[in-house]
């Protein structure tokens, strides 16, 4: 994925190790956030508590990476006149990539800790939980609110790509693509305003609210095809990453809303969305638009350990919440209590082992099966020549 490296065989062909490293850090950020929430660390005073609370920035980073990596083949088709991805094949690969591991984790958590009837099971297994009456998520599944949003984007992307392709053909293609993509953040900002004006907080669980993050990735995909490598971004990469850290510190203040489940004001919601988008762009741009694999930042994030953690990050994201839940079930500790370091170490090790097993046994197997194609049937042999009857 991402800036394509030399072709390789196997499920990881074409991956960018540094972007995998970013994905690994994002998954670890979600895990730290949930360990901090369960142990009560994030509700204490001090900058560390506030900054831990904002590790939810991982979700916009995941969404931006999806927009970048999934839209880039369509952007290349518009700009370089290469063949467009086939929507059917694309959707099949997305379903095979996402659903088997999701079904495994969700079914186990529902079987172990929920009393839902078959309609409740169907809602969760078919990623409909965000579109029904909002109740407390079943134990071990509180991280799964992002999955219906991702799936909605997967389904919408071929339609968006088709519309952008038609729009871009009327002039300067890269510029018109960027102009078309610029409509999507307006949809997100409008969703924030509407959710506050009509007191509909559940809109934050729907795709329109999050299109700004996917759009940032799609715009980055266009730029990565159009300008290839940016010397300016490469030269300013250290400053961009420092700026991302500074904006993250601002994101960690009350400007972006409370730490508790109290609903933010309209101003706080808008600031949070803008700051999260800015941080995600500043973190990913130095790698997506200036992917010099010999640079220090690529060697740090693209090392074999972080790259591997990035490959198993989806399974880690799925498993870490059930593991934290299981820890509290076994120990009998009350919510918002527990030693942060102890819980972190034990749940990290268990989540890592389960994630590695899930990746190799479920994710890789599903992808291999999806790639298999039956061998083409040999052409029919020519019929044997018939003897010609002698002329009378």
């Amino acid at each position: 994925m991402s800036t394509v490296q030399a072709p390789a065989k196997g499920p990881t062909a074409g991956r960018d190790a540094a972007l995998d490293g970013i994905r690994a850090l994002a998954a670890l950020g979600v895990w730290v956030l949930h360990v901090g929430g369960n142990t009560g660390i994030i509700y204490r005073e001090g900058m560390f508590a506030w900054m831990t609370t904002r590790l939810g920035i991982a979700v916009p980073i995941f969404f931006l990476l999806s927009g970048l990596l999934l839209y880039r083949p369509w952007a290349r088709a518009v700009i370089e006149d290469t063949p467009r991805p086939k929507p059917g094949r694309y959707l099949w690969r997305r379903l095979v990539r996402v659903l088997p591991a999701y079904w495994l984790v969700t079914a186990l958590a529902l079987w172990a800790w929920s009393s839902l009837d078959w309609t409740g099971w169907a809602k969760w297994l078919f990623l409909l939980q965000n579109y029904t009456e909002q109740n407390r998520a079943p134990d071990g599944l509180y991280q799964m609110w992002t999955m219906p949003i991702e799936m909605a984007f997967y389904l919408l992307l071929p339609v968006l790509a088709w519309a952008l392709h038609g729009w871009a053909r009327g002039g300067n293609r890269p510029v018109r693509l960027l102009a078309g993509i610029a409509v999507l953040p307006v949809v997100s900002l409008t969703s924030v305003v509407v959710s506050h004006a009509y007191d509909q907080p559940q809109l934050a669980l729907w795709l329109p609210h999050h299109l700004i993050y996917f759009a940032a990735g799609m715009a980055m995909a266009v730029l990565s095809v159009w300008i290839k490598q940016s010397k300016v971004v490469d030269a300013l990469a250290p400053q961009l990453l420092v700026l991302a850290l500074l904006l993250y510190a601002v994101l960690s203040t009350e400007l972006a809303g409370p730490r508790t489940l109290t609903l933010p004001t309209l101003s706080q919601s808008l600031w949070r969305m803008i700051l999260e988008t800015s941080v995600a762009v500043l973190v990913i741009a130095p790698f997506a638009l200036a992917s010099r694999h010999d640079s220090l930042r690529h060697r740090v994030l693209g090392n074999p350990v972080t790259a591997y953690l990035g490959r198993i990050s989806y399974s880690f994201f799925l498993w870490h919440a059930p593991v934290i839940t299981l820890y509290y079930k076994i120990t009998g500790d009350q919510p918002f209590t527990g030693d942060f370091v102890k819980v972190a170490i034990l749940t990290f090790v268990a989540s890592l082992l389960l994630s590695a097993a899930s990746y190799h046994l479920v994710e890789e197997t599903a992808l291999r099966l999806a790639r298999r194609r039956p061998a083409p049937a040999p052409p029919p042999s020519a019929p044997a020549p018939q003897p010609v009857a002698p002329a009378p």
Side-chain angles (χ1 to χ4, degrees):
M1 285 184 170
S2 184
T3 308
V4 179
Q5 298 171 323
K9 296 180 180 180
T12 61
R15 301 186 74 105
D16 186 293
L19 292 184
D20 276 337
I22 292 175
R23 188 180 286 105
L25 293 182
L28 291 174
V30 175
W31 161 72
V32 171
L33 171 65
H34 291 149
V35 172
N38 280 274
T39 58
I41 289 291
I42 64 175
Y43 304 113
R44 299 178 185 176
E45 295 302 322
M47 195 63 179
F48 174 76
W50 276 93
M51 295 187 75
T52 302
T53 305
R54 299 306 194 219
L55 287 173
I57 183 64
V59 172
I61 288 175
F62 283 138
F63 290 166
L64 194 153
L65 285 171
S66 292
L68 165 64
L69 299 172
L70 296 179
Y71 181 63
R72 186 153 52 191
W74 271 289
R76 184 174 289 114
V78 176
I79 297 172
E80 299 179 352
D81 285 320
T82 58
R84 279 183 280 180
K86 296 180 179 179
R89 176 174 171 77
Y90 152 79
L91 289 173
W92 169 245
R93 286 185 57 80
R94 285 292 88 203
L95 293 175
V96 172
R97 175 71 182 87
V98 169
L99 289 181
Y102 171 81
W103 280 337
L104 172 64
V105 176
T106 301
L108 285 174
L110 292 176
W111 170 76
W113 300 312
S114 84
S115 57
L116 297 177
D117 58 16
W118 71 269
T119 59
W121 274 69
K123 178 178 70 174
W124 279 88
L125 292 177
F126 290 100
L127 296 167
L128 301 174
Q129 62 266 33
N130 288 14
Y131 309 110
T132 58
E133 183 180 356
Q134 296 304 311
N135 298 312
R136 181 177 177 272
D139 289 347
L141 298 180
Y142 48 78
Q143 83 285 23
M144 296 298 196
W145 67 270
T146 65
M147 296 303 299
I149 299 169
E150 280 274 9
M151 184 58 68
F153 176 72
Y154 298 159
L155 297 175
L156 180 64
L157 182 57
V159 178
L160 283 176
W162 171 80
L164 289 168
H165 187 96
W167 161 255
R169 293 174 65 183
N172 186 309
R173 294 188 178 187
V175 173
R176 288 178 71 89
L177 280 180
L178 293 174
I181 292 170
V183 174
L184 302 180
V186 177
V187 175
S188 291
L189 296 173
T190 302
S191 174
V192 174
V193 174
V194 170
S195 68
H196 282 270
Y198 293 95
D199 192 23
Q200 298 292 324
Q202 73 273 13
L203 293 181
L205 298 176
W206 296 5
L207 175 62
H209 186 92
H210 301 272
L211 276 175
I212 187 171
Y213 310 123
F214 293 105
M218 293 171 66
M220 207 173 291
V222 173
L223 292 174
S224 69
V225 174
W226 184 17
I227 65 177
K228 308 298 183 185
Q229 303 292 329
S230 171
K231 294 182 178 179
V232 174
V233 174
D234 186 44
L236 294 178
Q239 291 89 334
L240 295 178
L241 294 174
V242 171
L243 180 57
L245 181 60
L246 294 175
L247 289 181
Y248 181 77
V250 177
L251 176 65
S252 302
T253 67
E254 292 188 16
L255 178 68
R259 287 182 291 170
T260 63
L261 297 179
T262 304
L263 293 177
T265 65
L266 174 59
S267 173
Q268 289 171 331
S269 295
L270 291 172
W271 273 114
R272 180 164 184 167
M273 179 173 284
I274 293 169
L275 287 168
E276 285 181 335
T277 305
S278 301
V279 171
V281 168
L282 290 169
V283 167
I284 296 173
F287 301 92
L289 300 181
S291 54
R292 246 187 342 108
H293 295 98
D294 61 340
S295 64
L296 176 61
R297 62 184 182 275
H298 275 79
R299 292 200 302 271
V300 170
L301 276 184
N303 70 77
V305 174
T306 56
Y308 178 75
L309 290 176
R311 290 197 295 275
I312 68 171
S313 61
Y314 175 55
S315 281
F316 189 90
F317 172 82
L318 296 176
W319 279 110
H320 80 277
V323 168
I324 294 172
T325 298
L326 181 62
Y327 170 87
Y328 276 84
K329 298 285 187 183
I330 292 175
T331 62
D333 289 349
Q334 296 301 308
F336 313 119
T337 66
D339 181 80
F340 178 86
V341 175
K342 178 182 177 182
V343 176
I345 292 174
L346 292 176
T347 60
F348 175 77
V349 172
S351 299
L352 188 64
L353 293 175
L354 285 169
S355 302
S358 179
Y359 173 74
H360 292 292
L361 297 177
V362 179
E363 293 186 54
E364 283 193 323
T365 301
L367 287 174
R368 278 195 294 267
L369 292 174
R371 288 193 181 100
R372 286 184 180 176
R373 291 287 184 274
S381 55
Q386 300 294 322
V388 179

